[in-house]
């Protein structure tokens, strides 16, 4: 069932506001953690089918860095923060002041820092969505992987079971002067969870 055909403009605006507030909360939390000003651009928010996620990050064979979470609570699902390895190095360098190695792999310290940044972002976006919907949602301890985008999504399917048909995409952009680092959040609620989320927002479902 494609729930999103019922979304009107103002209802999509609600999801955009979730992204805006989440980004603001994340920027504040990161600033406190790193003791430096962190700016984040107003995020672009859209809904896309699950099968288009890999294409959105450059194709199934594109090597990406992914921080992934299981979302627990009243609307369970899966959450992926995806960025290129180059963007990951840039994120460490510009935000955390870690001069990441030029090697293709990430050291244990670099992985830990990235996981913590991802954890703050995930918590901020989910808290924002929970505030809007009145549903409890929280991320589990993050995992981190670097592989082809298709392989990571397939791993998520094997690890967490069936995923929903659609994903909420939040383009996340960090700014420092003229430097820009981009990443993408994909929230993929379990099939029954989107019903709960949109009912809580007053969005009529097709079967209603």
């Amino acid at each position: 069932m494609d729930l999103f055909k019922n979304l009107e403009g103002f209802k999509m605006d609600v999801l955009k506001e979730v992204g805006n507030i989440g980004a603001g909360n994340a920027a504040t939390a990161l600033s406190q953690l790193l003791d430096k000003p962190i700016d984040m651009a107003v995020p672009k928010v859209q809904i896309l089918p699950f099968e288009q996620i890999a294409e959105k990050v450059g194709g199934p064979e594109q090597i990406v860095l992914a921080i992934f979470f299981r979302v627990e609570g009243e609307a369970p699902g899966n959450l992926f923060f995806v960025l290129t390895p180059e963007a990951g190095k840039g994120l460490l360098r510009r935000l955390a002041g870690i001069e990441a190695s030029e090697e293709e792999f990430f050291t244990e310290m670099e992985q830990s820092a990235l996981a913590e940044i991802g954890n703050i972002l995930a918590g901020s976006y989910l808290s924002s969505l929970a505030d809007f919907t009145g549903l409890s949602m929280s991320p589990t301890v993050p995992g981190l992987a670097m592989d082809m985008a298709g392989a990571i999504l397939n791993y998520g399917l094997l690890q967490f079971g069936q995923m929903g048909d659609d994903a909420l995409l939040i383009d996340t952009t960090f700014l420092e002067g003229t430097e820009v680092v981009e990443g993408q959040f994909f929230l993929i609620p379990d099939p029954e969870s989107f019903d709960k989320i949109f009912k809580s927002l007053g969005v009529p479902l097709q079967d209603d």
Side-chain angles (χ1 to χ4, degrees):
M1 182 176 62
D2 183 0
L3 302 177
F4 304 106
K5 290 179 181 177
N6 294 310
L7 277 174
E8 300 170 10
F10 79 95
K11 292 166 183 171
M12 195 64 204
D13 287 343
V14 170
L15 291 179
K16 291 178 180 177
E17 188 63 15
V18 167
N20 293 343
I21 293 175
N25 291 340
T28 299
L30 287 170
S31 295
Q32 293 173 346
L33 174 70
L34 302 172
D35 196 26
K36 62 182 291 188
I38 300 297
D39 293 320
M40 294 176 66
V42 174
K44 298 176 183 177
V45 179
Q46 67 181 102
I47 302 295
L48 74 165
F50 176 81
E51 61 267 17
Q52 291 183 14
I53 294 177
E55 294 300 330
K56 198 70 178 176
V57 297
E61 297 183 358
Q62 174 68 43
I63 299 296
V64 296
L65 179 68
I67 304 164
F68 50 92
F69 311 80
R70 177 66 183 166
V71 178
E72 298 181 337
E74 294 178 279
N78 304 291
L79 186 62
F80 294 82
F81 180 43
V82 180
L83 62 167
T84 66
E86 295 78 17
K89 300 282 186 179
L91 197 61
L92 290 171
R93 183 169 58 252
R94 297 186 183 105
L95 263 65
I98 297 174
E99 201 54 50
S101 67
E102 296 299 322
E103 302 292 335
E104 291 185 0
F105 63 86
F106 287 79
T107 67
E108 188 172 336
M109 181 182 71
E110 291 166 359
Q111 291 181 39
S112 178
L114 284 168
E116 183 57 27
I117 290 170
N119 201 36
I120 289 172
L121 290 169
S124 298
Y125 286 132
L126 287 177
S127 293
S128 177
L129 186 57
D131 288 344
F132 265 83
T133 60
L135 301 171
S136 66
M137 285 174 275
S138 59
T140 61
V141 175
L144 188 145
M146 189 167 70
D147 204 337
M148 292 187 295
I152 287 175
L153 290 171
N154 287 334
Y155 170 79
L157 283 170
L158 292 172
Q159 183 79 0
F160 302 122
Q162 181 184 6
M163 292 191 190
D165 295 331
D166 298 278
L168 173 65
L169 164 62
I170 303 175
D171 279 318
T172 303
T173 303
F174 303 89
L175 308 171
E176 186 179 45
T178 59
E179 300 289 342
V180 176
V181 178
E182 296 180 338
Q184 294 170 313
F185 255 101
F186 295 95
L187 173 62
I188 313 170
D190 289 357
E192 69 279 4
S193 294
F194 258 137
D195 285 24
K196 296 178 183 178
I197 290 171
F198 283 101
K199 281 182 178 178
S200 71
L201 294 173
V203 177
L205 305 181
Q206 284 185 333
D207 294 342
D208 289 352

